[in-house]
Amino acid sequence: MAARGHVQDPNDRRLRPIYDYLDNGNNKMAIQQADKLLKKHKDLHCAKVLKAIGLQRTGKQDEAFTLAQEVATLEPTDDNSLQALTILYREMHRPELVTKLYEAAVRKVPLSEEYHSHLFMAYARVGEYKKMQQAGMALYKIVPKNPYYFWSVMSLVMQVQLYFMILERLGKCVEALDVIRGPLGEKLTSELQSRENKCMMLYQRLQRWPECNALAHKLLLKNPDDWQFYPSYFDSLFHLIDQSWNPPEEEEHCAEGPVHYTVADVVRFVEDRIKAEDGKDSRLLRGPYLARLELIHRLRERGCPEESQLGEPLELMVQFFGKFGDKPCCITDLKIYLHLLSPDQHVQFINRLGEAVPLGEEGPEGFAFPEDTKALQRHLCVCQLSRALGLHHALDTDGKLRLIAELKAHYRHGLRFGKTSLKTELQFSDMYCLMAAHVYIDLWTETEDENMVWQCLGVLQEGLSHSPSNAQFKLLLLLLYCRLGAFEPVVDLYSSLDAKHVQHDTIGYLLTRYAESLGQFAAASQSCNFSLRFFHSNQKDTSEYIIQAYKYGAFEKIPEFIALRSRLNQSLHFAQVRNERMLLDLFLEADIVLSLEESVKAMGLSPEEDDIPWDSMRDNRDLTVFTSWDPKDRHLTDEHRHLSLEEETVWLRIRSLTLRLLASLALLGHTPSQQNSVVANENGVGDKASVFSSLLSQLDQTVQKAAQIPEKRTQYPFLGPPSTRLAPALSSGTCQCQVAALQLSVHLQELEIAGLDESSELQTQICNGFKSLVVQLQEILNKCKGDLLEMKDSKLKTQPSLLENLVFFVETVCIVFWMASYCAKVLRPLKASLQKKKKKKKDTNTTLPAVVCGFQELTGSLQELLTQALDHIKGQETGISALKLASLTLEGPTEEEGSFTRAAMDKVQSSYLRSLQEVGDLLKKRAETVKTLKI
């Protein structure tokens, strides 16, 4: 705000105090100063706009917009007003209004370089490429500077880019190929090999396999280590074989050059690349050696006898290990070709690799250790490959425990190589520690012995103490604490990951999935804010990135920024976090800090509008963020991904409809009587009721559909996507109870129209609904009972599902309260009207209508349920606080290891107490609101 350029206007001195107040965040004083100035200078437009900025920042958006439009309609041309309006519209997220502002300014001052430049940038913010081109040329005509001409050209190129994308999406690949291979092809972007990549993609779509093969062959001759072209090279070969393709007799093979159309040609080509590598004195390239294994895999799939010409896979992989085994990438290279080994070769293969690892003499524990980091890397690779072949999983419990002891010994021995490492650097032996944790997890899931998970937490905490920057340690600790229901340590772990930019979208789900469900509402708000800050800044900042790309000539980045903006706006995680944050705010504040209606209004919630892009929603989660060496039969499959997305989408739909129903409930008007129903409809009350009924019907159908998902759900891998809250929400009866509570609101609308005189059946139905709600709430509360943390036979046991059910109980109680609050609003005038009628008729009958009695019973029962829940929480707090974790006998070989395990236990204990305290505090506040439900 302070950087307003060189303003020579005499009014600048008068405006400066307002600017200073706004810069310092003192918006109220800025408004007052602007009012004072406007009393003396009514036509000082900039003062009006600065006042509007102050109003916008104090939450008075409507007033701010009205004031701004008063100035905008005058089409100002002074720099102060234009810049202030630009700032205001940007804060209002209305960039399209800036274009109108500068269009008017350019019309009035057609030779202004500054205004034309601002107009171009305003068009860039809203993606008006054609108008950008025109504005750029207009600017160049006024001020013939090269950058302005380039702006216009780039806008034209953007149109070509769009043209190419449209052709591609329409399936007009021949035309798209003509564009790429034509004169514009190389101008579209300056990325390395971009034209070749696009050509390759179009050749594949057009099934022009000769061109595809020749282009891949040509590029691999240039760079035999460029892996992306090997798959295209092999794919095209087999397509040509299947088509019995032969080259033309006299002409060139194809436009891209000679074609390798036989297996012999391709085998020769790969062998030649390997011979070239073997004859080198310099650093070897891995690409050709891996291409040979890939070709064996492809030939074996097709049953081609030429496979044997390339060699025996076991020998080739042993040779590869000999050449590259001391590199961390060796495991990822070989892991994908392990299926080429027969099961009876697995042990032989590992033994052969073990022979190539130089180890020292055996120590007293029976383990031999590497003497340098290269030997350590080779030994580690052998361990990783053993796990990938399933040899770890095949061990019995004792075998796994011995393996853990060996891995931990190698980890601690390897720490000596990193004594001088910086805190930001990883230890050479960290992967041993991580693998030991994975074996502990195997034992925990197989035996359900919780001692294994405590030991696992201990070894990871120990690893983190030596490698404070190890993201894999933090991620696995985060997952394990969440699985144990302990959210308190998780926020700090996630913060220390220092997730950057798009990572909040790709890995944020690990945090937000468990945020609210584990009862730590303050931390849940913080977790949602981590992600929301990023998404909101993306919406605002991406336009600025595009502007900067134009400004500094980084034109090739512009399409990437546009694609990123689209990807993030359609993100599943964004929709989830935004929805959960609003629900959380309602659960914590509605009818406590503000009324439900005020809370909904403050959020700008409109029940009629569904702003989630269901049809174009993108699952941007990184489901392979955890390092894993599990065998293929334990990998995350496409079916797992599909089921996870289906489950996430259904749960989001349930939560979104619940939020919109609560907004609709808050906005429901009153229809005083049947006779006034026409007036009511004119006021929109009838519309609101129909919106509520429509949403409720959708929610009911979605819950029914959701009930079928757990039936077909398979068990996800431990390191795969976390299950949503859907299954426990259904099994606890939460979804059903919430739908029933909202359904009662519909009956109350009917009662409001019918009155108390002629509605005995309806009243009976509502009373039965009240009783049913109490029974359902009691059942949910019963599923919360039990010991969250207990000590049995000197072992610590957890039941985190009890905590999740307790949070479901709290959420459902909130929704039942809001229904009851609406019920009270409906019944008060009806009861008062009935009493007036009785007075007129001098009716002495004091019997209350059935629905009023039923409502009083409901509020009494709710009070009892809350007392019962609070007693349960108090009992749990007392029991958990009394646990003496120091007295536990831990099965750790060293005292240091035991101290790390005990520290992890302390964190879980502390987290449970924090969760119980926050849930208890919220229930106490809700108990206070019961007193307002009198009629």
Side-chain angles (χ1 to χ4, degrees):
M1 177 69 74
R4 298 182 299 282
H6 54 285
V7 182
Q8 300 299 327
D9 195 306
N11 287 321
D12 189 39
R13 181 178 49 80
R14 300 183 185 118
L15 294 168
R16 188 172 299 281
I18 309 176
Y19 281 118
D20 290 340
Y21 283 129
L22 289 171
D23 283 344
N24 295 325
N26 197 340
N27 299 310
K28 288 185 180 177
M29 283 302 296
I31 295 166
Q32 288 175 21
Q33 189 69 28
D35 282 334
K36 282 182 191 174
L37 194 55
L38 286 167
K39 281 179 185 176
K40 294 180 184 176
H41 306 275
K42 291 182 181 177
D43 295 330
L44 191 51
H45 303 317
C46 185
K48 270 191 183 181
V49 183
L50 294 177
K51 179 183 175 182
I53 291 174
L55 290 167
Q56 166 73 14
R57 292 177 182 177
T58 51
K60 297 176 181 175
Q61 289 90 346
D62 294 341
E63 288 179 55
F65 185 71
T66 305
L67 204 56
Q69 291 310 94
E70 284 178 21
V71 177
T73 51
L74 298 172
E75 298 185 348
T77 55
D78 65 292
D79 196 41
N80 276 343
S81 298
L82 289 169
Q83 288 200 28
L85 279 167
T86 301
I87 289 166
L88 177 62
Y89 289 150
R90 198 176 297 169
E91 290 186 11
M92 287 179 163
H93 305 297
R94 298 290 301 275
E96 72 282 358
L97 296 176
V98 179
T99 61
K100 293 178 181 176
L101 201 62
Y102 279 102
E103 281 169 354
V106 163
R107 278 198 302 273
K108 287 189 174 181
V109 191
L111 298 179
S112 168
E113 178 184 0
E114 186 180 358
Y115 292 169
H116 273 282
S117 175
H118 282 307
L119 178 60
F120 179 88
M121 295 307 177
Y123 285 142
R125 283 190 179 93
V126 293
E128 290 275 8
Y129 305 124
K130 182 69 178 171
K131 288 183 178 178
M132 284 162 66
Q133 183 197 350
Q134 293 166 351
M137 282 311 295
L139 186 54
Y140 181 69
K141 285 175 184 175
I142 298 165
V143 188
K145 293 180 182 175
N146 281 346
Y148 297 151
Y149 184 73
F150 296 153
W151 287 5
S152 180
V153 170
M154 187 56 203
S155 302
L156 176 62
V157 169
M158 284 301 297
Q159 291 176 67
V160 176
Q161 178 82 355
L162 286 172
Y163 176 54
F164 172 76
M165 287 164 61
I166 290 165
L167 288 174
E168 192 186 350
R169 290 183 185 185
L170 287 173
K172 296 188 174 182
C173 296
V174 175
E175 291 87 341
L177 191 60
D178 290 341
V179 171
I180 291 295
R181 295 183 64 183
L184 278 174
E186 292 182 17
K187 296 175 186 175
L188 278 174
T189 176
S190 61
E191 284 176 31
L192 188 66
Q193 292 185 333
S194 174
R195 180 181 166 277
E196 289 85 351
N197 286 331
K198 283 186 168 65
C199 279
M200 187 70 79
M201 180 265 294
L202 289 169
Y203 285 146
Q204 287 170 339
R205 286 183 65 177
L206 289 166
Q207 298 186 5
R208 291 189 181 177
W209 304 120
E211 286 86 350
C212 186
N213 181 281
L215 180 59
H217 162 236
K218 191 161 59 179
L219 292 166
L220 287 170
L221 278 173
K222 278 187 193 174
N223 181 2
D225 207 35
D226 195 339
W227 183 258
Q228 64 176 322
F229 295 116
Y230 278 111
S232 303
Y233 180 54
F234 296 146
D235 286 340
S236 58
L237 162 71
F238 295 119
H239 282 296
L240 291 170
I241 290 171
D242 292 340
Q243 294 172 1
S244 304
W245 186 86
N246 282 301
E249 289 182 11
E250 296 178 3
E251 300 171 24
E252 197 178 16
H253 283 193
C254 70
E256 293 288 354
V259 178
H260 290 175
Y261 58 96
T262 67
V263 172
D265 287 340
V266 173
V267 168
R268 194 181 309 110
F269 176 78
V270 171
E271 292 287 7
D272 286 347
R273 303 285 74 69
I274 290 169
K275 280 177 189 169
E277 288 304 307
D278 287 342
K280 277 167 60 176
D281 295 328
S282 56
R283 184 177 65 89
L284 297 179
L285 302 176
R286 290 155 37 236
Y289 298 97
L290 289 172
R292 178 165 57 185
L293 292 170
E294 176 67 19
L295 186 54
I296 291 173
H297 158 65
R298 302 285 186 107
L299 292 170
R300 184 176 290 188
E301 263 191 337
R302 292 175 62 90
C304 296
E306 292 91 342
E307 174 208 333
S308 59
Q309 295 173 19
L310 290 158
E312 168 59 37
L314 188 146
E315 291 299 330
L316 296 177
M317 284 194 267
V318 169
Q319 287 171 24
F320 186 90
F321 180 81
K323 289 179 170 70
F324 305 106
D326 57 353
K327 300 186 187 314
C329 59
C330 186
I331 173 63
T332 49
D333 288 344
L334 290 181
K335 194 167 73 165
I336 52 177
Y337 297 112
L338 291 177
H339 65 280
L340 297 176
L341 302 174
S342 62
D344 59 352
Q345 289 181 312
H346 290 179
V347 174
Q348 181 194 352
F349 174 61
I350 294 300
N351 289 340
R352 288 282 303 279
L353 296 186
E355 291 165 8
V357 178
L359 297 176
E361 295 295 319
E362 278 193 11
E365 295 177 345
F367 305 131
F369 298 112
E371 294 179 353
D372 58 40
T373 53
K374 288 197 170 187
L376 181 149
Q377 188 57 56
R378 285 185 180 278
H379 181 264
L380 179 59
C381 186
V382 175
C383 295
Q384 291 167 328
L385 288 166
S386 297
R387 186 164 179 82
L389 286 168
L391 300 183
H392 288 185
H393 303 85
L395 297 171
D396 60 12
T397 300
D398 289 339
K400 286 188 173 81
L401 289 171
R402 279 196 301 276
L403 172 63
I404 288 169
E406 182 181 354
L407 290 169
K408 288 196 289 192
H410 273 275
Y411 166 65
R412 288 170 186 141
H413 173 271
L415 291 175
R416 68 185 59 190
F417 301 122
K419 280 182 179 175
T420 59
S421 298
L422 300 172
K423 282 190 174 181
T424 50
E425 294 177 324
L426 305 187
Q427 290 289 334
F428 291 100
S429 60
D430 274 356
M431 287 304 180
Y432 287 120
C433 181
L434 188 64
M435 198 178 301
H438 284 193
V439 183
Y440 271 130
I441 289 170
D442 294 341
L443 285 168
W444 181 35
T445 51
E446 288 164 17
T447 65
E448 296 184 356
D449 178 359
E450 274 197 46
N451 187 44
M452 294 298 107
V453 74
W454 297 122
Q455 300 264 14
C456 181
L457 287 169
V459 79
L460 286 169
Q461 291 285 9
E462 180 184 352
L464 198 58
S465 72
H466 295 293
S467 278
S469 298
N470 191 309
Q472 285 299 320
F473 290 165
K474 293 174 187 179
L475 285 166
L476 196 50
L477 278 167
L478 186 151
L479 179 66
L480 290 169
Y481 280 126
C482 284
R483 290 288 183 99
L484 290 171
F487 196 72
E488 193 174 49
V490 166
V491 178
D492 287 341
L493 279 168
Y494 187 83
S495 297
S496 69
L497 280 169
D498 198 19
K500 293 283 190 284
H501 203 67
V502 78
Q503 287 177 316
H504 287 299
D505 186 28
T506 57
I507 64 170
Y509 71 94
L510 293 169
L511 188 68
T512 54
R513 154 61 183 92
Y514 297 99
E516 185 186 342
S517 64
L518 297 178
Q520 297 201 4
F521 305 121
S525 292
Q526 188 183 344
S527 304
C528 291
N529 288 341
F530 274 137
S531 294
L532 285 176
R533 268 199 299 271
F534 158 64
F535 283 113
H536 289 147
S537 66
N538 162 66
Q539 290 175 333
K540 191 169 60 178
D541 294 347
T542 313
S543 297
E544 296 308 312
Y545 301 152
I546 295 168
I547 299 299
Q548 295 304 313
Y550 272 103
K551 191 173 178 181
Y552 294 108
F555 299 133
E556 74 280 359
K557 294 296 172 191
I558 295 168
E560 292 179 24
F561 288 138
I562 292 166
L564 176 67
R565 178 168 59 189
S566 172
R567 171 186 163 182
L568 295 175
N569 285 341
Q570 295 166 1
S571 164
L572 164 73
H573 182 58
F574 179 33
Q576 288 172 323
V577 174
R578 191 177 48 185
N579 201 81
E580 288 300 324
R581 177 61 205 262
M582 287 192 281
L583 275 173
L584 184 61
D585 285 349
L586 290 182
F587 292 137
L588 294 180
E589 296 177 3
D591 286 344
I592 295 174
V593 179
L594 299 169
S595 69
L596 179 62
E597 190 172 352
E598 288 169 329
S599 298
V600 165
K601 191 175 179 184
M603 290 177 186
L605 267 174
S606 175
E608 300 91 348
E609 293 174 14
D610 185 359
D611 59 357
I612 295 175
W614 297 105
D615 295 332
S616 58
M617 197 152 57
R618 293 188 53 158
D619 183 3
N620 298 329
R621 294 175 299 164
D622 181 358
L623 298 180
T624 55
V625 68
F626 292 97
T627 296
S628 171
W629 307 280
D630 286 343
K632 198 169 183 179
D633 60 345
R634 291 170 179 255
H635 285 185
L636 186 71
T637 63
D638 288 340
E639 185 188 6
H640 286 139
R641 290 174 183 275
H642 173 74
L643 287 173
S644 173
L645 178 57
E646 182 186 8
E647 191 183 336
E648 295 283 355
T649 306
V650 170
W651 178 241
L652 174 59
R653 202 176 283 276
I654 287 174
R655 299 291 276 183
S656 168
L657 287 166
T658 303
L659 178 64
R660 291 168 65 197
L661 275 161
L662 293 174
S664 184
L665 179 64
L667 301 175
L668 276 177
H670 294 302
T671 42
S673 66
Q674 208 164 2
Q675 299 95 297
N676 292 336
S677 59
V678 176
V679 179
N681 278 320
E682 283 175 7
N683 293 333
V685 175
D687 287 346
K688 288 175 186 173
S690 65
V691 167
F692 187 90
S693 297
S694 169
L695 291 172
L696 185 59
S697 172
Q698 290 176 53
L699 178 60
D700 192 33
Q701 289 168 16
T702 308
V703 169
Q704 288 178 32
K705 178 188 174 185
Q708 300 163 13
I709 288 180
E711 294 170 12
K712 61 180 178 182
R713 191 184 71 193
T714 57
Q715 188 68 40
Y716 298 126
F718 189 89
L719 300 177
S723 297
T724 66
R725 299 173 69 195
L726 180 62
L730 290 168
S731 62
S732 64
T734 299
C735 289
Q736 300 85 332
C737 186
Q738 291 180 6
V739 170
L742 293 163
Q743 182 64 52
L744 270 171
S745 304
V746 175
H747 297 320
L748 289 162
Q749 292 168 35
E750 294 166 4
L751 181 68
E752 192 174 19
I753 294 169
L756 292 175
D757 293 334
E758 307 291 331
S759 58
S760 59
E761 278 187 32
L762 183 56
Q763 288 187 52
T764 304
Q765 188 179 359
I766 291 170
C767 289
N768 289 338
F770 289 157
K771 289 173 185 171
S772 173
L773 275 184
V774 173
V775 170
Q776 289 179 72
L777 278 171
Q778 182 67 61
E779 286 175 357
I780 297 172
L781 183 56
N782 289 345
K783 286 171 183 168
C784 307
K785 292 180 178 175
D787 289 323
L788 188 55
L789 187 67
E790 62 178 335
M791 209 181 291
K792 274 188 180 177
D793 305 324
S794 293
K795 288 187 177 181
L796 206 57
K797 299 269 186 187
T798 63
Q799 289 193 79
S801 61
L802 299 177
L803 187 55
E804 193 158 12
N805 286 343
L806 189 57
V807 173
F808 279 135
F809 173 77
V810 173
E811 290 183 359
T812 310
V813 160
C814 291
I815 291 173
V816 170
F817 273 9
W818 292 323
M819 179 281 299
S821 180
Y822 173 66
C823 181
K825 287 177 189 172
V826 170
L827 292 181
R828 280 182 201 124
L830 290 177
K831 185 183 172 188
S833 173
L834 186 66
Q835 286 171 340
K836 279 182 186 175
K837 286 180 186 176
K838 283 185 177 180
K839 278 184 184 176
K840 281 183 183 177
K841 294 179 181 178
K842 296 182 180 178
D843 188 346
T844 56
N845 184 0
T846 56
T847 308
L848 290 170
V851 71
V852 175
C853 296
F855 181 74
Q856 289 172 342
E857 285 178 26
L858 172 69
T859 55
S861 299
L862 287 175
Q863 192 70 62
E864 287 173 22
L865 277 167
L866 286 178
T867 304
Q868 196 185 134
L870 287 166
D871 287 346
H872 166 66
I873 289 170
K874 193 174 180 182
Q876 283 296 296
E877 287 177 323
T878 305
I880 293 172
S881 300
L883 289 175
K884 298 287 187 283
L885 300 186
S887 65
L888 278 171
T889 49
L890 299 174
E891 298 170 12
T894 65
E895 192 177 326
E896 186 188 18
E897 194 176 340
S899 69
F900 284 117
T901 303
R902 195 168 275 111
M905 290 176 167
D906 288 339
K907 287 180 180 180
V908 172
Q909 182 186 32
S910 168
S911 180
Y912 284 171
L913 288 170
R914 176 76 170 271
S915 296
L916 290 167
Q917 183 191 340
E918 290 202 29
V919 171
D921 289 347
L922 181 53
L923 283 177
K924 284 171 192 169
K925 290 174 185 174
R926 287 291 165 207
E928 288 298 310
T929 63
V930 176
K931 296 169 186 175
T932 66
L933 298 179
K934 293 176 182 175
I935 47 173

